[in-house]
Amino acid sequence: KRVSYIDKEKLVPVYEELYSESGMLIKTWKYEDIRDHNGRQFPQRMIIRDTLQANSTTTIEFQTLEFDVDIPLDHFKRRWLSR
């Protein structure tokens, strides 16, 4: 199960929790520095915490974002993805 906390003004998630089928909290996501990118609200930073491992945190920071970019279909073939 995933529980999302949504910013009522921007209508984007600001925090999420992922639970196992047994109800144990597995991971949390915190979305920070939400900015407008050509009409799309998107976080510049995501902090993911693994609650099953002590001190296990992953931070993803976006420096540039592009949307609606044409990607050649062959990029989705197994041969390309295994690189």
Side-chain angles (χ1 to χ4, degrees), residues 2 14-18 27-31 47-48:
R2 182 179 299 245
V14 291
Y15 187 77
E16 293 185 302
E17 300 169 334
L18 179 65
K27 293 187 187 236
T28 63
W29 281 263
K30 184 177 180 184
Y31 303 100
I47 301 168
I48 303 146

Side-chain angles (χ1 to χ4, degrees), residues 9 35 58 62:
E9 291 180 18
R35 297 183 193 175
T58 301
F62 298 96

Side-chain angles (χ1 to χ4, degrees), residues 31-76:
Y31 303 100
E32 296 181 339
D33 194 13
I34 297 169
R35 297 183 193 175
D36 183 273
H37 295 275
N38 295 324
R40 295 181 192 208
Q41 300 293 318
F42 203 84
Q44 298 303 117
R45 184 173 28 269
M46 294 188 289
I47 301 168
I48 303 146
R49 196 181 107 226
D50 185 338
T51 60
L52 303 179
Q53 296 180 5
N55 301 317
S56 177
T57 302
T58 301
T59 301
I60 301 171
E61 293 193 38
F62 298 96
Q63 295 176 352
T64 60
L65 293 171
E66 293 182 53
F67 295 96
D68 302 321
V69 176
D70 288 329
I71 301 173
L73 288 178
D74 67 342
H75 281 49
F76 297 97

